[in-house]
Amino acid sequence: MDAESLKKLTDGDKESWERFVRTYAPLIRAMVSRTMSAYGGFDAAEVDDLVQSVYTKLVREGYRLLKSYDPKRASLSTWLGLVSRSTTIDYLRSRKRHLPLKEETASPIDRDREEERIDLPKGLLSARQELVLRLLFDKEMDPDEVADFLGVEVQTVRSTKHKALERLRRYYKDAR
């Protein structure tokens, strides 16, 4: 979506909004579903509700969040993936407070998975680089799956991974 289309959308153009929803609904739904799966499962109704929550978050206060999107920092797909993921995690965190204590306790398998997550220095990588690494390593997706998920070419995923790993190598080399 180009800057002009995004501007029309945030000005309230109905046709632009419908095109936006048609284009990005699969990405938002996939990110919500994957995040829900990663943190303990879901049902279809929850996914539908969370997809609507993402859209609500984007349009609230005169499209404030959507207007904050900066194409210099990440592609719209990457940014929407992050918004969808954070919306889902916020929901899961609030839901945990209402679960019985027994269900809140993480199993040893869940704790092992948390310990296996890659630990990235804050602010070192771009949002896109961090998302690609998390999808590749935390979610164990292959580059083709990541490319499909983000709506980019496989070579873009490989290049982003390479640049992120180079940045991490330099960071840890300098830290010694």
Side-chain angles (χ1 to χ4, degrees):
M1 180 167 255
D2 63 6
E4 184 179 325
S5 298
L6 194 58
K7 173 78 171 112
K8 284 174 66 175
L9 177 120
T10 57
D11 285 343
D13 181 64
K14 184 179 178 194
E15 188 176 304
S16 296
W17 176 254
E18 289 171 358
R19 191 173 333 111
F20 174 83
V21 170
R22 273 193 315 273
T23 303
Y24 293 104
L27 169 82
I28 292 170
R29 178 170 294 285
M31 182 55 93
V32 167
S33 297
R34 287 178 198 266
T35 306
M36 293 287 286
S37 292
Y39 291 95
F42 62 91
D43 65 39
E46 281 183 308
V47 172
D48 291 341
D49 290 346
L50 280 165
V51 168
Q52 289 303 314
S53 292
V54 171
Y55 289 128
T56 301
K57 192 176 200 178
L58 291 171
V59 301
R60 189 178 300 138
E61 297 175 28
Y63 297 89
R64 186 179 62 81
L65 182 60
L66 199 51
K67 287 177 180 177
S68 75
Y69 163 67
D70 182 359
K72 295 175 191 142
R73 298 194 63 190
S75 72
L76 185 56
S77 296
T78 300
W79 185 80
L80 286 170
L82 290 170
V83 170
S84 301
R85 184 175 189 276
S86 68
T87 301
T88 304
I89 289 171
D90 289 346
Y91 165 78
L92 291 170
R93 285 181 181 147
S94 70
R95 185 179 78 172
K96 266 189 164 181
R97 285 187 224 126
H98 304 293
L99 294 175
L101 183 59
K102 182 179 173 189
E103 290 181 15
E104 277 189 50
T105 308
S107 72
I109 293 171
D110 292 335
R111 282 192 295 267
D112 288 346
R113 279 194 196 131
E114 285 179 20
E115 291 170 9
E116 289 177 7
R117 285 182 49 121
I118 57 174
D119 185 27
L120 299 172
K122 296 222 184 289
L124 179 67
L125 303 177
S126 70
R128 179 185 213 127
Q129 289 172 331
E130 186 171 337
L131 178 61
V132 165
L133 290 185
R134 293 213 180 277
L135 292 173
L136 289 169
F137 296 106
D138 290 345
K139 304 298 178 203
E140 298 178 358
M141 295 170 70
D142 64 47
D144 291 321
E145 290 174 314
V146 174
D148 287 342
F149 179 73
L150 297 177
V152 298
E153 298 294 321
V154 175
Q155 185 54 41
T156 302
V157 171
R158 290 187 178 118
S159 174
T160 302
K161 174 188 170 190
H162 175 76
K163 289 175 183 175
L165 293 176
E166 284 296 312
R167 194 175 271 183
L168 286 168
R169 284 185 193 105
R170 278 194 308 276
Y171 173 82
Y172 285 112
K173 182 180 176 186
D174 292 344
R176 284 192 232 161

